[in-house]
Amino acid sequence: MTTRVILVRHGQSTYNAQSRIQGRLDASVLTEKGSVAAQKVGDALNGLKFDALYCSPLQRAKQTAQIIVTYLSDPPKVEPSDLLMEIDLPLWAGMERQAVMEQFPQEYQTWHDSPHEFSMLVSTPEGEKQHFPVLALFEQAKQFWREILARHQNQTVLLVAHNGINRCLIATALGIQPQFYQSVQQSNCGISILNFTNIIPGELPKPADVQLESMNLTTHVGHKVPSVRPGHQGPRLLLVRHGETEWNRMGQFQGQIDVPLNDNGREQARKAAEFLKEIKIDFAVTSPMARPKETAEIILQNHPGIELQLEPEFCEISHGLWEGKFEAEIEQFYPGLLEEWKIAPQTVQMPEGENLQQVWQRSLIAWKQIVETYNHQNVTILVVAHDAINKALLCQLFNLPPDHFWNFKQGNGAVTVIDYPQGIEGLPVLQADNITSHLSGSILDKTAAGAL
């Protein structure tokens, strides 16, 4: 059984529109644009049944939640929670961002580049002390998970909150460290989905027990992918998983057996092509295997003149003697190993195949080479690969080891957006993950679970 948590950032606020820092200052309310976007969120969530709805007590989040519930057929009660309050930036709240950059240049640079080290000297009843806003927010997010997950096992919960706390909720669920706070994008009215299994009351989930199904979906508010941030000085990579194969559909392990797309997989590739049609693509790279290569070729039909480069290091994980087999057959020949793969994948050596450490190493080498080749260039690069490769790459964006392999879902035909705003010298930003709305019209990933 699974506990599903859907996170929404509030709609555009008056301070957002004025480029002011908000923090916990409650002087900001939704703009008309923000209210309209909240209505679109409600429409996108219509048809889902929620067992609980928690929101930040700040006006901009409460207003967003109150608009959303009017679109739900059986809405739960809106319950404010102080654990969903936005990041506390007392010395900056209410200031225009540009003024903060000018008045506090060193502090702002630390906030941007090393958020886990960023602090403010604040006055308390006990005297002045150093306040670490990001570290405090991470602890707040952990406390929220400890309380809420145990309370709502096997239920669906909606959270409406803020940019900072939503980042921290996603990060603490996945085991991402505070230094990557700025690497998780949350757009106004963006939707993110987390799935939890094997919840232990009072504890954070183990790596194999949490999955980011999708992150920062914005198609429902009219943005297929989040826009490039001002000052961006590096490449954007569109990471796509190949379309469905017949073996995906049947749950048969394929690995490096060169199984082609089935008809549904080609249709998924065509839908991905239509989704990316208006996005300028400058370069394209694919695994040389048939299923990603054909997916890439279909996408590039709308981008004539782009040469498709083949990267052998992006080939799918070698499952060795598992390839061609169904789960029941694997259990018969290798009892217990499949269960170990599901709960501790980092410990599994595929019989006559690879282990995840090998996949980690070869995929990262190829990925870094792409980023280095186009370093400090404002270009968009299409990369089409496989489930295991994409999972490995996403983990390594956040320096997560192979025991986090199951954290990131990658549906057939899904699109993920990764920016390098400061080039390879800076941290990457996961702008959106596992977009599949172009395949089904739903925020939920309805692609076949399939095998790797």
Side-chain angles (χ1 to χ4, degrees):
M1 300 291 286
T2 300
T3 298
R4 169 171 280 157
V5 179
I6 297 181
L7 300 88
V8 177
R9 184 187 174 193
H10 64 76
Q12 185 196 62
S13 69
T14 49
Y15 274 27
N16 288 148
Q18 297 165 9
S19 295
R20 291 183 182 273
I21 291 177
Q22 303 180 100
R24 296 190 174 178
L25 195 63
D26 203 14
S28 183
V29 296
L30 292 188
T31 62
E32 182 179 353
K33 179 180 177 181
S35 296
V36 170
Q39 294 170 29
K40 292 179 179 178
V41 172
D43 193 48
L45 298 179
N46 186 22
L48 299 178
K49 183 183 183 306
F50 293 97
D51 299 285
L53 193 167
Y54 296 93
C55 76
S56 161
L58 299 177
Q59 291 184 84
R60 55 196 187 269
K62 281 201 298 184
Q63 289 177 314
T64 302
Q66 289 161 353
I67 291 171
I68 290 171
V69 296
T70 64
Y71 285 79
L72 304 180
S73 56
D74 185 19
K77 176 185 175 183
V78 178
E79 300 182 54
S81 170
D82 287 346
L83 290 175
L84 292 177
M85 289 276 280
E86 181 54 306
I87 191 167
D88 189 17
L89 299 168
L91 302 186
W92 292 359
M95 295 180 64
E96 292 184 4
R97 187 173 299 275
Q98 185 61 37
V100 171
M101 294 169 65
E102 292 171 358
Q103 295 180 37
F104 304 95
Q106 288 185 324
E107 292 88 343
Y108 190 85
Q109 193 70 35
T110 302
W111 157 256
H112 188 269
D113 295 343
S114 304
H116 58 302
E117 297 175 350
F118 171 69
S119 67
M120 290 179 165
L121 186 64
V122 297
S123 296
T124 70
E126 294 77 30
E128 291 189 329
K129 71 171 187 177
Q130 288 294 333
H131 165 56
F132 290 82
V134 172
L135 297 183
L137 198 63
F138 264 69
E139 291 306 311
Q140 177 183 312
K142 290 177 183 178
Q143 185 59 31
F144 182 85
W145 287 133
R146 291 188 189 103
E147 294 186 12
I148 296 303
L149 291 178
R151 192 182 305 169
H152 296 288
Q153 293 196 50
N154 305 323
Q155 295 184 344
T156 300
V157 180
L158 177 61
L159 308 180
V160 182
H162 307 270
N163 186 9
I165 184 60
N166 283 12
R167 288 179 179 183
C168 291
L169 289 168
I170 292 168
T172 52
L174 301 176
I176 295 171
Q177 296 301 305
Q179 56 262 42
F180 293 99
Y181 172 81
Q182 304 285 11
S183 294
V184 178
Q185 174 69 303
Q186 292 287 281
S187 303
N188 288 120
C189 281
I191 296 175
S192 302
I193 305 171
L194 285 161
N195 299 315
F196 300 89
T197 55
N198 303 317
I199 293 168
I200 301 174
E203 294 186 13
L204 293 175
K206 295 182 175 66
D209 294 335
V210 57
Q211 175 199 67
L212 184 65
E213 178 175 323
S214 298
M215 195 204 81
N216 203 33
L217 305 177
T218 56
T219 306
H220 55 285
V221 291
H223 304 290
K224 289 184 176 180
V225 299
S227 58
V228 173
R229 292 176 175 181
H232 185 100
Q233 298 179 349
R236 162 167 284 190
L237 290 93
L238 304 174
L239 181 63
V240 177
R241 185 186 174 196
H242 63 76
E244 184 185 85
T245 70
E246 200 60 17
W247 285 24
N248 285 145
R249 188 185 68 81
M250 295 189 301
Q252 191 172 2
F253 279 71
Q254 47 196 355
Q256 294 189 358
I257 294 180
D258 211 4
V259 183
L261 298 180
N262 61 15
D263 288 342
N264 185 48
R266 294 185 184 93
E267 180 61 21
Q268 289 172 330
R270 282 190 284 270
K271 288 180 177 178
E274 183 63 28
F275 182 74
L276 298 173
K277 183 177 181 179
E278 304 303 323
I279 296 175
K280 184 176 182 295
I281 295 175
D282 300 289
F283 304 96
V285 181
T286 182
S287 156
M289 300 184 72
R291 50 196 188 268
K293 185 171 181 288
E294 185 177 2
T295 301
E297 289 168 345
I298 292 171
I299 292 172
L300 291 178
Q301 288 175 3
N302 291 327
H303 302 270
I306 302 298
E307 180 183 355
L308 183 58
Q309 302 173 43
L310 306 184
E311 177 47 74
E313 301 294 0
F314 285 156
C315 282
E316 182 59 300
I317 183 174
S318 171
H319 284 301
L321 298 179
W322 285 17
E323 294 182 356
K325 292 182 171 59
F326 295 94
E327 288 195 358
E329 295 175 292
I330 293 171
E331 179 59 27
Q332 177 185 351
F333 290 105
Y334 308 96
L337 196 57
L338 185 62
E339 183 62 21
E340 187 176 349
W341 170 245
K342 292 178 180 179
I343 63 174
Q346 75 280 7
T347 66
V348 175
Q349 172 64 55
M350 298 292 174
E352 297 187 19
E354 290 183 293
N355 58 47
L356 282 182
Q357 192 59 50
Q358 292 170 297
V359 177
W360 247 239
Q361 291 170 350
R362 64 177 171 86
S363 62
L364 184 61
I365 289 171
W367 182 263
K368 280 187 171 181
Q369 186 173 3
I370 293 171
V371 179
E372 287 173 351
T373 299
Y374 302 104
N375 198 23
H376 299 301
Q377 298 182 43
N378 289 321
V379 296
T380 299
I381 305 157
L382 175 71
V383 177
V384 185
H386 306 262
D387 190 15
I389 294 296
N390 290 13
K391 282 178 163 66
L393 291 170
L394 285 163
C395 284
Q396 290 177 96
L397 294 181
F398 302 104
N399 200 28
L400 295 173
D403 60 331
H404 289 262
F405 179 72
W406 297 113
N407 282 168
F408 297 92
K409 188 173 185 184
Q410 288 289 282
N412 292 117
V415 177
T416 293
V417 184
I418 301 158
D419 283 349
Y420 283 82
Q422 298 174 287
I424 200 166
E425 295 85 3
L427 292 177
V429 176
L430 182 60
Q431 292 279 358
D433 177 53
N434 200 42
I435 305 170
T436 59
S437 51
H438 54 285
L439 305 175
S440 64
S442 169
I443 65 163
L444 303 181
D445 183 346
K446 298 184 176 180
T447 60
L452 294 172

